[in-house]
Structure formats: C-alpha cells, structure tokens
Amino acid sequence: MRRRHRPCRPRLGLAGLVLAALALASRARADAVPVPVALQADLLFAVAAQDRNLPARAAGKVRTLILTRKTDESIRAALRFRSAAVGKALVGGLPHVVEVSAFASAAELAEAVKTKRVAIVYLTPGFTEEDAAEIARALEGGSVLTVSAAPALVGKGAVLGFDLVSGRAKLVVDLTRATRQQVAFSPDVLGLMAVHP
Amino acid sequence: MTTSRRARAALLAAVLLGPAVALAGGGEAGVADLAGLLNEPVVSTASKTAETAGLAPAMASVVSAEDLRRHGIDSLAQAIDFLALGMLTEPSWATPEIGARGVLLSGDYGNHVLLLVDGHAMNEPWDGTAYYDLSAAIPLDLVDHIEVILGPGSVLYGSSAMLGVINVITRRAKDYAGVHALAEGAVPVGGHAAIGYGGESTWLGRPVELTAALDYAGTRGPRQGYGVQTYDGQPWGGVARHRALDVPSAYLRLLAGDLEVSARAALSRRAATQIWGSFDDPRNWERDRWLSLDVRYGVSLSPSLQANLHLYGDLYDYLAHEPSAAGADCLDGQASCVILNSGVSRWGGAELSGTWDWLTDGRFVTLIGADLRYREVRSWTDYDDPTAGTSTRVMPYDQGGFTLGAYLQQTLRPAGWLSLNAGVRLDRDPQLGSHVSPRLAAVASTWTGGTVKAIYSEAFRAPTFYERYYADPLTWLAAPGLRPETVRSVEGVVEQRVGADRFRLGAFRTWWSDLVLTVPATQADIDAGIAGGALDPGATLGAVFTYANASHVNSYGLNADWDGSGLGQRLHYGAGVTLARSRRTGGDASRLAAAAQVFGNARVSYDLGGRLPVAALAARVVGPRPLSGTGFTDAPDAKTQVELRAALSGPLGGGVSWRLAGDWALTRGSAYAVGPLRAPEPGYDAQAVLPLPRWQALAGIRIDR
C-alpha cells in the first residue's frame, strides 16, 4: 500500500499571493512589447517604405520620432528601438533620421509633426488607450504613420501595431485611421497584415 | 572572379533561388522581404529572451498553431516528426522515443531532451520522464507554438537538455478569446474532445487574462498480429489491439499584471499488453499522473534592471501493473504474480533571475539567475501473489534533497551585424557533485538577409534516481555511484533569407561521454549483492544487470531546411533533412539502436480562401536503423519508414469548422524487438518486431464562439 502524505495546502498561500501581486501589479504586461524591438524596426521600415504617401510626407528625409512616457519599459524600449532604427540609413530610398522625445501633450506632438515633417511616430510601451485616442484626434487630417509597440493601441488611435502570434510577428493595421492620416498601402502589403477590427 | 564565372554564379543562384522568389514574389521584392520578416520565427527559449530565430544562440525551429491546425497534428510527436527540424520520434513499445541529429538513446523515457510547457520543466526527477505522444497530456488546442531548440541547452536549463530543449508555449487570451469546443473521432478507434476558454478583463484596475482547457484523448488502436513465442512454458503472441490509451488533462493560465500563474493536471493510462508479462492481458497497464503549479512575477526596478521570480511545484507518480503467468518473472515460490512498479516524485523550487541592460539599448545585457530546488523520490516494486494472496515489496527507496543551479549569460552586440552570447551554469547536487555547462555563440549578419552562426556548448544529464537506485533481487543491482552524462557540441549554421523564403544549413559535431547503459553485472558484483542481501542467493552471472557509465558516442552531420510562403500567405511550404553519423566509440564502434542517421520531412499547405478549405500534405522519411531490444547480432535493420499525412479543414460558418485528416505508413515494422524472446533459441531464429499501425483517418468538428 502506498504511503500517504499529508496533503499540502497551497490554495490559501496561492490566493494570498495572487491578491498581493494583483495589488502590486503594474500595467506593464498589457503594454508589454511582444515582438523583439529589432524585428519591430525591421518590419516598420520595411512597411513604411511601402507607404505610397511616404515620399510626399517625408519631403526628402524620413524623420522617425520615438515617443516616450515616464516608465522604465518605455525608456528601455525607446533606447532599444533607437539603437535598431539608426542602423536604417535609408527608408524607401530616402535618408532617415531618428529622434527620441518625451510625450507632453497631443497638441505639442501635432505641432512637432507638422513643423518638423515627422513621417513616423513610434509609441513606446506606456501609452494608454486614452493617450492614443488623444494623439489620433490631434493628428487627424495630417500625414503621419503612427505605430504602436503593442497591438492593443491599434483601433484606439494607432495606425499600425505589432503583435506576436504563434511565434511569428504580425502587423496589425487600422485602415480607417490609416486613411485619416494619409497612410496608403498597396493591396499586396495589406494582404500581409491583420486588419483591425 | 571572371565575367564568365560571375555569369555562371548568377545563373546558378537564379536556378536555385528563382522558384522561391517567384513563389514568394507577389511582384515587388519589398513586399516579399516584408513577408520574409513576418515569416521569421521568434523564439524565447534559447537565451530566455525573445529574439528572432536567426539571432538565437542555437539552431531553432518553430511549429506554429497554424501549422498544427493546417496539418491536422494531434500530438507533439507528429509536430516534431512532420514540421520541425533535426529531431524525430520513434514509435516504441509504450510511448515514442525521441532523438536528434543521429542520436537516440533507446530506453531513456525521453530524459535526454528537456521538455518545457510555458517554461515549466516536464521531466520529472524519478526517471527524467517526458512523453511526446498523447501521453504528453498537453491540451494541443491551447498551444500557440512549439519551439524546438537543437543542441545542448544546460547553460540555462541544467540537467536533461542534452539533445535539445522543446518549449511548448500556450496561447494568450487575445488569441484564444471566447469558448472553444472540439470533438474528433478516428478509425482505427480513437477519440479526442476538448473545451477551452480565453478571456480578458480588468480587476482592481489591472488587466487580467485567463486561458484554460480541458482535454481528453484516447485510442484503442488497430488489431495487430504478433508471432507466437513460448516463454517459461507460457505462450506469448497472437492478435491483439495495438495499444489502448486514455489521457485526460487540464491546463490553466492566469495573467494579472506582471503575475503569471499556470497549473496543469493530467493522467495517462496506457495498456501495456504487448510490452511485458502475459500477452494481451487487459490487466497489464501503466499509468502516469501529474499535478503542476507555476508562478512567475516580473518587476522592473529601473530602465536597466528587471527582476523575475519563478516558483514551481510538481507532483508525479507512475505505476506499472504487470501480471505474469510465467514463474520466471516472479519471486521464488510464486507460480504467477502481478508486478507493481511504482515511482513517485515531488519537486519544487524558486528561481530568481535578473536582467541588467548596461547601456539600456540591448547591446550589452547580463542575465544572472539561481534556481534552488527540492526534490523527493520514492519507488518500490511489489510482487503480488494472487494464489497465496500475499504481496512482497522489494528494494524500496526514498531519496531527496536540494539542488542548486546558478547561471550567468552575457550578450554583447558590438556592431549591428555581430551578436555574441556567452554563458555558464553551475549545477550543484550534494549527491552528484558539481557540474559546469558553458556556451559560447557568435552570430554575424554578414550580408543582406544572411547570417552565420558558430556555437560551442556543453550539457549534462544527472543520472536519474531510477538509474541509481532501481534494484530487483532476481535481475538488477542498484548503481548509486553513477556519474552525470555529458555532451560537448560545436556547430556552424548559415542562414539565408530570400524574399519570403528561408534556407538554413548547419554542420555539427558532438562528443557524448559517460552515457548510462544497461550492462551485465560482474561475478564480483553479484557475490557482493548476495552477501549484502540485495540479490537472491540464486542470482547467476548473465541474469543480473545494472546501470553503468559505459558508453561514449561521437556524432557529426548536417541539418538543412527550407521554408517559406507565397501567394499572399495562402501557400506555406517547407522541408528539412538531417544526415548524421553517430557511433559508440571504442570497442566495436557500434551504431545506436533505433537511431536513424538520415531523416527528414516536407510539407505544403494551401488556403483556398473564403469558405473553401485549407489543404495540406506532409511527409516524413526515416532511414534504416538498428533494432532496439534484440540480442540477435544479425538482426536486419528496421526498414526505411515513409509516412504521409493529408488534411483538409475549413469553416462551416457561425464559428463552426471541420477537419479531415489521414495518415499512412509505408512500413509495418518498427525499430523495436517485441516479445519475451530477444535472443536465438531452438525454434526461434529471427527477432519478432513490434508492428505498427499502417493508417488512421480522422474527422472532427470544432466550435469557436
């Protein structure tokens, strides 16, 4: 006959752990970067080159603005993305420059996009759905590609986002938002993306 | 290079790569490049960091949930055999055995490959057991992808990661939203039913997601003929169901903020009618049960520093129920018996790790961690005498203790084209001493779409408690002095992406030392065993065995694969091949039983679009390999095996979809001897071989709401 051990009592401890961790948990996981940042950079600049309005928007030089919030993950993602992005000397055959800026307000962002002729805005993790919606309203009618490191902001204000499904990166696009921000991809390119919703 | 040579090179490149580019094409090279980037697998197992497979410090392949669905795959073994590179499974007596790159160590219960589910180790400490058929007891409907990492991986994972590491990653709720149910039936008889749920919400203002699945898979197998053998006066053989299997399992994963909790409960009960004891006795079975809990919590302490805590605990037990009418199988004085072989293991631990990104840009990152584990193993064998109504327990053991693993990994990207990875892990086991497992890897992105890798790595496997302490007064001596097995490996990989296609070619060389083998006990060992009470006085030379660090293996060879997509991602295709030469060193330089030196697979699928189905074909070829478990020195090799799979799946509307799948094997014979007679005897001059099912057809329906 097998010797029976006294049952352990993990449930109470686990429940306590879950509650404690929930109380402490940040929003980081919802905003987590699912796709490696270097691959995001490769994908972003490959897909941006397929935007038919990029040459007109860039006016000779593609400017990418990496936008940060005051979170560890945002700063980390921004620096990693910049490290990968500066290696892309040409985007769509045009010279490419990269800037990092802390997000202050959507109005200031819209002004910067307009005056500096920013072609691509990269939203690092840390932006909320409310931030994305505010940014989208401010950029409405302009010509700029807004890209989110996480897919959750596509449909909330970002034109493009990155997702990881089955161990492979996916591009998620909001076609309505793309039209409103004068981003135009060919059907071949759209065929490679997941269209939101 | 002269002009004519350049022209010839260009022509050769066009001939070799042209079809791939055309398939991937869709017109513009830029679109094909984008498709290629989207096809690039992302792995997190090789360095515990998400990275593209091309940059990972190992040769890695990824089997996606889409691949599983398209090809009607219903087990890890099928996924490995038809869709992955470099590994294969061999259908064995009970559950399939697993090997890689020409090395398969028959009888190891999967303990030379580390199997993870969401990073949680499945190999238990009693015998390192990990299964790959339905007995793996992992709800496949919940699987997001499977990462197959070839080569030694002890640098981050410790024991058992010798042939490689397989990490099964389950789906996130966003990819499994709603309620899912499926029911499938197969001929010869099999069934599969599952129900799952995935949902996202918020609680206390925090994002929460839950995925869960309940799964049952069972088979009753075809009726197969087994040649009649006579053993100890008892007939063995005839016609019987191939095997019966019942596997219920449940898996749950909860994510709340940075906290992740997963739990698994599973049971596998297999008829063992053709393995031991009396033939086709329905009381002849084996059973495994698992209960696992895993908790992870990650916290960002600064932009440069992240810390992770991983707590885990597992319960596992195994019971083999083996009735035998042959007195020779039983204890002295028993005319017949029921042998009950039990193993119980419990283990739990805490792993604390930290990542320090020195430059905060991913170019110089240190990973450091420590894993403190407690494990306890108990095992015994009972000989029940149904006639006398008595039970005799032999050689029970109860062992336990702490182990500690500490690891350090440094990644360095001094230039955009160069990535270096160096790591080392120290494993400390009070009973086995210390073991150091290093790895060095360099990956260079040398030209457009091309990478070159060079990797040196080592791994080890601590001898299991079973190997050290199993004993039987009639036939087996314990071997508590076993040392860890070790392997060293060097490999080089060239990878080229051309549009949406990816080509890889790898060369490897491995040296295996101190492999644990079954060997006959010496007369001195037997005398000592009798004197110490470990063996019955009647134990004789030639009838008593033990485990020993008795084998060394050298292996070298090539891996190559090609995969890609085209026609707007509706066409997917791929092929892989492994060529190896593996030999035991010293003595007769013999080949490894059941270890194929040539094997590969190929697959293609096409989505007809809309409400039309996805059609998929896959093939697997395994070259000749020596029979396992035979004492016939002249036994012919198992024949080349070719297996074909075809699957059709499509939507019916309203969240309902259907699937039809079938497979067919060219050869009926396996690479395993069967029956009690394993050596020539009067009237028995050729080894009987375990027969395999030739075909199976499956139909199923699923609902996603």
Side-chain angles (χ1 to χ4, degrees):
Chain A
M1 184 66 68
R2 283 176 52 193
R3 182 158 52 93
R4 293 285 180 188
H5 284 243
R6 281 178 296 174
C8 53
R9 291 174 291 172
R11 288 179 191 163
L12 196 59
L14 175 62
L17 188 60
V18 169
L19 286 171
L22 279 176
L24 294 170
S26 69
R27 297 181 67 87
R29 184 172 292 282
D31 295 331
V33 180
V35 177
V37 169
L39 181 56
Q40 286 189 33
D42 288 342
L43 285 166
L44 173 57
F45 299 118
V47 78
Q50 302 296 317
D51 178 0
R52 288 193 291 254
N53 293 336
L54 180 71
R57 181 187 311 142
K61 182 180 280 188
V62 176
R63 288 184 185 277
T64 296
L65 178 63
I66 302 170
L67 217 50
T68 64
R69 300 300 311 244
K70 289 178 182 173
T71 68
D72 293 345
E73 195 173 7
S74 175
I75 294 166
R76 185 164 52 241
L79 295 173
R80 288 187 174 197
F81 190 86
R82 184 181 66 176
S83 177
V86 294
K88 312 290 180 188
L90 296 174
V91 173
L94 299 171
H96 179 221
V97 292
V98 182
E99 295 176 28
V100 179
S101 175
F103 177 69
S105 71
E108 282 187 33
L109 173 64
E111 182 62 22
V113 166
K114 190 174 176 183
T115 56
K116 293 184 176 179
R117 297 190 74 97
V118 172
I120 300 167
V121 175
Y122 177 80
L123 305 176
T124 54
F127 284 86
T128 64
E129 293 178 0
E130 293 75 22
D131 292 335
E134 188 187 347
I135 290 169
R137 281 194 294 274
L139 296 178
E140 181 121 5
S143 179
V144 63
L145 171 61
T146 46
V147 186
S148 166
L153 298 187
V154 180
K156 307 298 181 186
V159 173
L160 197 69
F162 302 99
D163 198 2
L164 189 68
V165 179
S166 280
R168 286 180 171 80
K170 299 275 184 209
L171 290 168
V172 188
V173 65
D174 180 342
L175 285 181
T176 306
R177 179 54 43 197
T179 304
R180 289 178 180 173
Q181 292 182 202
Q182 300 180 41
V183 175
F185 297 119
S186 69
D188 282 349
V189 175
L190 290 174
L192 300 174
M193 299 179 178
V195 176
H196 184 277
Chain B
M1 187 184 278
T2 65
T3 303
S4 63
R5 279 185 179 171
R6 285 199 190 102
R8 282 200 296 270
L11 181 62
L12 181 63
V15 168
L16 290 174
L17 304 179
V21 175
L23 277 169
E28 296 178 51
V31 179
D33 281 343
L34 186 58
L37 289 169
L38 292 167
N39 284 344
E40 179 79 8
V42 174
V43 297
S44 57
T45 306
S47 63
K48 293 198 174 183
T49 306
E51 60 197 338
T52 55
L55 290 177
M59 200 164 189
S61 55
V62 169
V63 179
S64 71
E66 291 172 28
D67 296 331
L68 299 175
R69 181 175 45 78
R70 286 187 200 114
H71 289 280
I73 299 295
D74 61 16
S75 70
L76 288 181
Q78 289 180 355
I80 291 163
D81 290 338
F82 288 96
L83 305 176
L85 172 69
M87 283 195 183
L88 86 168
T89 69
E90 276 289 344
S92 174
W93 300 289
T95 71
E97 301 197 303
I98 188 164
R101 304 203 290 199
V103 175
L104 183 148
L105 298 156
S106 190
D108 71 352
Y109 279 81
N111 63 27
H112 290 88
V113 174
L114 183 65
L115 175 63
L116 309 171
V117 176
D118 290 326
H120 184 100
M122 294 286 106
N123 303 70
E124 51 75 37
W126 174 54
D127 200 21
T129 311
Y131 298 128
Y132 292 90
D133 62 347
L134 296 178
S135 290
I138 300 167
L140 220 58
D141 197 45
L142 204 53
V143 171
D144 180 78
H145 66 279
I146 303 165
E147 297 182 11
V148 179
I149 311 295
L150 292 176
S154 290
V155 65
L156 294 179
Y157 295 101
S159 180
S160 280
M162 295 187 85
L163 288 165
V165 180
I166 295 175
N167 195 359
V168 180
I169 311 293
T170 61
R171 294 178 195 244
R172 296 286 299 270
K174 66 181 175 58
D175 304 317
Y176 196 62
V179 176
H180 312 269
L182 71 86
E184 295 174 332
V187 177
V189 182
H192 179 207
I195 185 163
Y197 170 78
E200 295 177 283
S201 185
T202 57
W203 191 40
L204 303 176
R206 311 295 180 194
V208 176
E209 67 172 75
L210 174 72
T211 50
L214 293 171
D215 190 285
Y216 166 79
T219 64
R220 292 297 176 267
R223 293 181 70 79
Q224 304 263 23
Y226 297 79
V228 175
Q229 305 174 20
T230 301
Y231 172 63
D232 197 31
Q234 302 291 324
W236 187 100
V239 175
R241 289 279 180 200
H242 181 69
R243 52 175 58 114
L245 184 68
D246 293 285
V247 186
S249 61
Y251 192 83
L252 177 149
R253 190 178 179 203
L254 170 73
L255 284 87
D258 286 341
L259 176 74
E260 177 178 342
V261 179
S262 55
R264 171 177 173 260
L267 179 151
S268 169
R269 188 183 188 280
R270 302 176 295 278
T273 51
Q274 283 74 252
I275 305 174
W276 321 290
S278 303
F279 181 78
D280 204 21
D281 186 334
R283 298 172 301 153
N284 198 340
W285 49 266
E286 56 182 342
R287 184 198 69 200
D288 301 82
R289 296 187 296 189
W290 300 264
L291 187 62
S292 308
L293 179 68
D294 194 287
V295 180
R296 293 167 193 267
Y297 185 70
V299 61
S300 181
L301 302 173
S302 78
S304 300
L305 183 61
Q306 290 176 283
N308 294 285
L309 176 64
H310 175 204
L311 304 172
Y312 56 90
D314 289 74
L315 306 175
Y316 167 82
D317 71 9
Y318 170 87
L319 174 61
H321 187 276
E322 177 193 350
S324 178
D329 288 341
C330 306
L331 297 178
D332 282 347
Q334 293 180 331
S336 66
C337 60
V338 179
I339 305 167
L340 296 149
N341 180 17
S342 296
V344 178
S345 53
R346 304 157 178 244
W347 68 105
E351 180 181 9
L352 184 63
S353 62
T355 304
W356 180 260
D357 186 347
W358 296 83
L359 306 175
T360 329
D361 61 3
R363 287 189 296 134
F364 192 72
V365 181
T366 303
L367 168 68
I368 187 166
D371 182 356
L372 180 66
R373 175 177 301 189
Y374 178 77
R375 59 211 178 134
E376 177 185 301
V377 167
R378 292 181 296 122
S379 184
W380 62 92
T381 303
D382 290 333
Y383 285 79
D384 290 357
D385 185 336
T387 308
T390 58
S391 179
T392 305
R393 174 160 298 180
V394 299
M395 305 303 289
Y397 60 85
D398 188 342
Q399 298 284 334
F402 284 92
T403 63
L404 177 66
Y407 54 87
L408 174 70
Q409 176 183 263
Q410 180 65 51
T411 55
L412 172 63
R413 297 202 167 111
W417 59 273
L418 182 61
S419 175
L420 305 171
N421 182 307
V424 65
R425 174 168 169 135
L426 172 68
D427 281 277
R428 172 82 184 145
D429 182 331
Q431 291 180 307
L432 297 171
S434 300
H435 192 85
V436 176
S437 306
R439 178 175 67 189
L440 289 168
V443 183
S445 304
T446 44
W447 54 82
T448 304
T451 57
V452 177
K453 286 184 197 182
I455 305 159
Y456 173 81
S457 54
E458 294 185 14
F460 79 105
R461 184 182 72 85
T464 65
F465 286 91
Y466 186 92
E467 289 165 333
R468 281 187 284 165
Y469 297 110
Y470 176 74
D472 181 301
L474 297 172
T475 61
W476 211 276
L477 273 172
L482 287 176
R483 300 183 304 276
E485 298 177 337
T486 61
V487 61
R488 291 179 292 128
S489 166
V490 290
E491 60 184 291
V493 182
V494 179
E495 179 175 332
Q496 180 64 52
R497 189 163 49 77
V498 181
D501 291 70
R502 189 173 60 128
F503 303 84
R504 291 190 298 177
L505 174 64
F508 58 87
R509 181 92 164 86
T510 58
W511 297 266
W512 298 69
S513 300
D514 289 332
L515 294 178
V516 175
L517 277 188
T518 298
V519 298
T522 63
Q523 187 61 55
D525 292 336
I526 293 170
D527 292 343
I530 293 171
L535 289 175
D536 279 356
T540 57
L541 189 67
V544 180
F545 297 85
T546 188
Y547 286 113
N549 293 103
S551 181
H552 299 259
V553 171
N554 284 355
S555 176
Y556 60 87
L558 299 172
N559 288 119
D561 71 347
W562 164 42
D563 61 61
S565 65
L567 304 175
Q569 298 283 68
R570 290 161 70 176
L571 177 69
H572 291 261
Y573 44 86
V577 65
T578 296
L579 310 171
R581 186 181 190 282
S582 304
R583 295 288 187 274
R584 297 188 192 282
T585 57
D588 58 356
S590 62
R591 297 180 296 158
L592 300 173
Q597 305 296 287
V598 180
F599 60 95
N601 56 39
R603 66 271 182 194
V604 61
S605 67
Y606 184 72
D607 185 348
L608 293 163
R611 302 189 68 166
L612 295 173
V614 176
L617 290 171
R620 170 203 192 206
V621 178
V622 181
R625 57 271 187 226
L627 279 189
S628 176
T630 183
F632 283 80
T633 54
D634 58 349
D637 281 358
K639 292 178 183 171
T640 295
Q641 179 64 286
V642 178
E643 293 179 60
L644 302 175
R645 290 188 64 80
L648 273 176
S649 57
L652 287 173
V656 181
S657 57
W658 57 273
R659 181 169 87 165
L660 296 172
D663 56 48
W664 177 80
L666 179 73
T667 306
R668 184 170 175 270
S670 72
Y672 294 85
V674 72
L677 301 184
R678 302 297 177 87
E681 288 192 6
Y684 187 73
D685 55 9
Q687 179 65 63
V689 174
L690 179 75
L692 294 177
R694 291 287 297 275
W695 62 276
Q696 188 174 51
L698 175 150
I701 192 162
R702 65 173 296 139
I703 301 170
D704 300 284
R705 292 286 171 84

